Amino acid sequence: MNKTFTDISGHWAESNIKPLANKLVVDGVSDSLFQPERGITRAEFAALVVRSLGLDTSSTSTSFKDVSSSDWFASVVAAAVKAKIIDGYEDNTFKPNAQINREELVAMVVRALNYAGAAPVASGSQTSLAKFTDANKIVWAKNEIATAIDAGIIDGMTDTTIAPRDTATRAQSATMLKRLLTKANFIN
């Protein structure tokens, strides 16, 4: 299979998107378009992770008050919760249609690596965050982000910014997913 999209030619994430598209892990928004700079929702990324890991999606039952068993994403959310890849907010919501931010994306990827038995060695130190002038904007996932930086799962947006609260793009999501699958030895 040699699937590609017209709008990723020359894009910085092309080499990460193409192999995932060819393994049917990621889809385009159409046969010819991927829209790499578009945002991705929390439910959409949960679906990618669940599909990548081949998790059992037979259950649609979750305790989130904003996830109904009839929602297209109910089974992937249930599978991701069971695998401890996602948890919700304090108000018992998952916010499936909210655009995922970089902090949430990294946390899900690190947890997916834990699930896959390929947990990166957590340094437990925040020294890898020191070079990022906006590290103080990380709300709750400092350890996950530090671990992901040390493991080569996430790069800064620049040499000095990590942009944890920025909305993640489809290109960033595919790139982190490719790195996850490579670290877990699911793809080479």
Side-chain angles (χ1 to χ4, degrees), residues 5-20 34-38 102 105 152-158 167-179:
F5 304 101
T6 57
D7 60 350
I8 65 168
S9 181
H11 190 277
W12 67 265
E14 179 179 12
S15 64
N16 296 312
I17 296 166
K18 277 175 82 167
L20 295 182
F34 185 76
Q35 293 185 343
E37 296 305 314
R38 196 181 89 189
R102 287 171 50 84
L105 186 69
I153 299 290
I154 186 175
D155 304 311
M157 291 298 287
T158 68
T167 300
T169 65
R170 287 170 48 83
Q172 291 167 353
S173 301
T175 298
M176 282 196 222
L177 199 58
K178 169 118 181 342
R179 291 173 181 168

Side-chain angles (χ1 to χ4, degrees), residues 5 12 27 39 72-73 76 91 101 141 174:
F5 304 101
W12 67 265
D27 298 320
W72 73 263
F73 47 78
V76 296
D91 64 355
N101 66 40

Side-chain angles (χ1 to χ4, degrees), residues 131-151:
K131 70 177 183 174
F132 298 109
T133 57
D134 60 350
N136 61 331
K137 292 189 170 91
I138 302 170
V139 177
W140 53 272
K142 278 189 170 60
N143 288 337
E144 289 93 337
I145 291 178
T147 299
I149 290 167
D150 293 344

Side-chain angles (χ1 to χ4, degrees), residues 30-107:
S30 72
D31 282 344
S32 61
L33 295 177
F34 185 76
Q35 293 185 343
E37 296 305 314
R38 196 181 89 189
I40 183 168
T41 68
R42 289 170 50 84
E44 288 168 338
F45 190 68
L48 290 178
V49 171
V50 165
R51 190 181 319 151
S52 299
L53 297 176
L55 300 183
D56 175 10
T57 56
S58 58
S59 172
T60 57
S61 169
T62 77
S63 60
F64 298 126
K65 60 187 179 190
D66 59 350
V67 178
S68 162
S69 62
S70 61
D71 290 329
W72 73 263
F73 47 78
S75 61
V76 296
V77 169
V81 168
K82 185 176 177 192
K84 296 182 174 37
I85 293 167
I86 58 174
D87 46 24
Y89 294 91
E90 287 85 13
D91 64 355
N92 202 30
T93 61
F94 176 62
K95 299 184 173 120
N97 297 314
Q99 297 290 301
I100 196 168
N101 66 40
R102 287 171 50 84
E103 181 171 13
E104 293 165 332
L105 186 69
V106 170

Side-chain angles (χ1 to χ4, degrees), residues 16-29:
N16 296 312
I17 296 166
K18 277 175 82 167
L20 295 182
N22 286 313
K23 292 187 185 313
L24 307 177
V25 173
V26 298
D27 298 320
V29 296

